[in-house]
């Protein structure tokens, strides 16, 4: 019975959304990804560090968050939010980055009232420290923080269950994953995080990473479970792969980590 | 009465979609932009020429098109389509590019049965030549070709009215537009194309350009009508702006145009 009521509620909500669309009453500026009328989404890119920044907002309340903003683009991102008519509630990071300086501190200056946000286990200063299981509200949107350590101890994946999307930071990349050979990196821990916290999401969930280096913009849980060349392997094989990447010392790390410990503002 | 029937049909379709979602029966791999269950979309990027390539497909029939593929990524795009389980019907271009070599010819080799597609006024060879007003069917999807000359004579904008999106090629870029100082460029013609064929679409339509150089991935009709720094000006001012850009000679043009005249394959 409860199930029927729930199904009916879903049907009605969908019907209302369809009705609203059929009347040609878009929200002020529609989303690039239109999951119903209560969700604004936009993906932005930094070509220097290949970092993706995301705007997620509620078109009804005009409140938004920025995920993984880059210092050099704080002005671009603030201007876009202003053009779109969104108030920035939270400038948040999935983790303390080693490859670029965060824009959160700068965004707090540009858009007063903005709160900086990061995982409690990150070791970085911020206005809000998130724990595993914390939910942030942005209008009607619910961003669930899920601890996915391995690249760093403080890595969080932000999940919007209603929209079926997750921001995986450097934990899971498209057909790849973050490095585990610096900061508090641990390939065993990363493998466990991906398999227990991300691969357990429904196959159709869209995943947005913090980086991509091959011109890919998004993936899904189903794709990565099937085609990720590293994380489809056994734990032992994965650890071996990660141990033998022989990657160069991250060129930005000595500047980025101290800066990111204080939201990018010395 | 007809209106009521239409509204009911929309409601039922939405209810069916919601029901399908509520049962947790996603299409094989869901879209990165989930406009109902009958639409697959993915954006891809070439960092060298800053070109966007798009996959649009019908998850029910597993048929897809590629818009503006880049030669150097033909292998990436073919592999992704294969992983996703899509058959490539059409490898299409919005116009004859001057800044990169198209991947359509290479994709025809990699994925036999694929047809190359371009505007009839482009001057380029292809299996299918589109006129203003031609509709291509891809499963249940309908891609309408709209002539938007100005950057070149053969420029087309591909519109999916049901999904509320348009692929504008180099005619309209995010807060910008294509050059009009080479090939058959005409700033008057481009201005007219944008104002008569793109700005007349509903404000909430999402626009996907062939390029972006500032890390932006998408825009909307409403945003460009309000914030495009060039196309919000009068025709006279626009022509003056375009006459005074003083841009360098396109470095790829002497290689790209002859190659693109024959689908990228000499």
């Amino acid at each position: 019975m409860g199930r029927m009521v729930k199904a009916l509620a879903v049907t009605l909500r969908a019907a209302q959304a369809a009705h609203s669309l059929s009347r040609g009453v878009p929200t002020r500026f529609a989303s690039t990804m239109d999951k119903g009328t209560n969700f604004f989404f936009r993906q932005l890119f930094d070509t220097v560090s290949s970092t993706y920044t995301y705007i997620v907002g509620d078109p009804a309340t005009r409140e938004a968050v920025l995920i993984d903003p880059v210092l050099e683009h704080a002005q671009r991102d603030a201007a876009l939010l202003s053009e779109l008519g969104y108030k920035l509630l939270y400038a948040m990071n999935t983790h303390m980055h080693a490859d670029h300086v965060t824009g959160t501190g700068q965004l707090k200056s540009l858009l007063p009232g903005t709160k900086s946000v990061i995982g409690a286990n990150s070791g970085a200063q911020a206005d809000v420290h998130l724990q595993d299981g914390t939910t942030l509200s942005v209008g009607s949107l619910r961003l669930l923080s899920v601890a996915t350590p391995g690249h760093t101890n403080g890595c969080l994946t932000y999940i919007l269950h209603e929209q079926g999307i997750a921001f995986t930071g450097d934990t899971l990349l498209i057909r790849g994953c973050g490095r585990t050979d610096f900061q508090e990196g641990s390939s065993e821990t990363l493998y466990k995080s991906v398999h227990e916290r991300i691969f357990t999401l429904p196959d159709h969930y869209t995943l947005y990473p913090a980086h991509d280096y091959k011109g890919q913009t998004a993936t899904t849980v189903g794709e990565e479970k099937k085609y990720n060349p590293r994380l489809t392997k056994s734990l032992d094989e994965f650890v071996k792969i990660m141990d033998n990447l022989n990657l160069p010392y991250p060129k930005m790390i000595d500047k980025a980590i101290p800066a990111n410990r204080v939201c990018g503002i010395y």
Side-chain angles (χ1 to χ4, degrees), chain A:
Chain A
M1 185 65 187
R3 210 166 147 183
M4 270 187 69
V5 171
K6 204 172 161 190
L8 185 65
V10 169
T11 305
L12 284 176
R13 208 158 57 222
Q16 280 164 350
H19 179 59
S20 158
L21 284 171
S22 72
R23 282 183 307 176
V25 186
T27 50
R28 193 165 153 208
F29 292 120
S31 166
T32 59
M33 186 222 279
D34 204 347
K35 301 214 176 214
T37 53
N38 68 336
F39 184 55
F40 178 85
F41 172 88
R42 187 138 321 158
Q43 187 169 24
L44 298 156
F45 191 56
D46 170 49
T47 51
V48 176
S49 63
S50 297
T51 301
Y52 283 121
T53 297
Y54 301 94
I55 303 176
V56 170
D58 181 334
T61 65
R62 313 308 296 176
E63 294 166 312
V65 302
L66 269 171
I67 298 173
D68 290 334
V70 172
L71 177 62
E72 290 77 6
H73 296 296
Q75 190 66 56
R76 172 197 69 184
D77 299 347
L80 180 57
L81 284 163
S82 160
E83 286 183 352
L84 295 166
Y86 278 94
K87 175 178 165 53
L88 185 61
L89 295 189
Y90 303 114
M92 43 205 301
N93 282 300
T94 50
H95 65 289
M96 193 157 70
H97 305 279
D99 51 1
H100 70 271
V101 177
T102 180
T104 55
Q106 187 66 28
L107 284 156
K108 278 168 59 80
S109 299
L110 293 169
L111 302 169
T114 302
K115 286 193 166 70
S116 55
V117 179
I118 200 163
N121 294 334
S122 66
Q125 287 178 21
D127 297 318
V128 179
H129 282 104
L130 299 172
Q131 303 284 350
D132 179 53
T134 309
T135 297
L136 272 188
S137 288
V138 182
S140 64
L141 305 178
R142 302 285 172 265
L143 274 85
L144 173 65
S145 303
V146 168
T148 50
H151 172 65
T152 72
N153 280 347
C155 283
L156 293 176
T157 290
Y158 297 123
I159 304 178
L160 288 127
H161 276 296
E162 196 177 338
Q163 285 74 26
I165 74 176
F167 300 93
T168 56
D170 283 13
T171 305
L172 183 63
L173 305 179
I174 302 168
R175 310 293 192 270
C177 65
R179 294 172 64 161
T180 53
D181 59 335
F182 56 77
Q183 286 174 283
E184 310 102 349
S186 157
S187 52
E188 289 90 342
T189 306
L190 186 138
Y191 188 91
K192 203 175 150 214
S193 289
V194 170
H195 278 265
E196 293 181 5
R197 310 304 299 267
I198 300 174
F199 281 1
T200 48
L201 295 170
D203 277 0
H204 70 278
Y205 272 38
T206 304
L207 302 178
Y208 290 105
H211 302 284
D212 190 84
Y213 307 93
K214 295 180 182 171
Q216 305 163 114
T217 59
T219 185
T220 56
V221 171
E223 280 173 66
E224 295 309 316
K225 275 164 69 178
K226 196 160 177 183
Y227 298 119
N228 191 295
R230 297 178 184 171
L231 284 147
T232 46
K233 299 284 194 295
S234 71
L235 172 59
D236 284 353
E237 287 173 289
F238 178 74
V239 170
K240 210 171 287 172
I241 291 169
M242 297 307 285
D243 281 349
N244 289 289
L245 291 178
N246 298 315
L247 295 167
Y249 187 74
K251 58 181 190 285
M252 275 289 289
I253 193 168
D254 295 322
K255 186 186 165 197
I257 301 263
N260 288 335
R261 203 167 276 134
V262 289
C263 295
I265 305 282
Y266 284 103

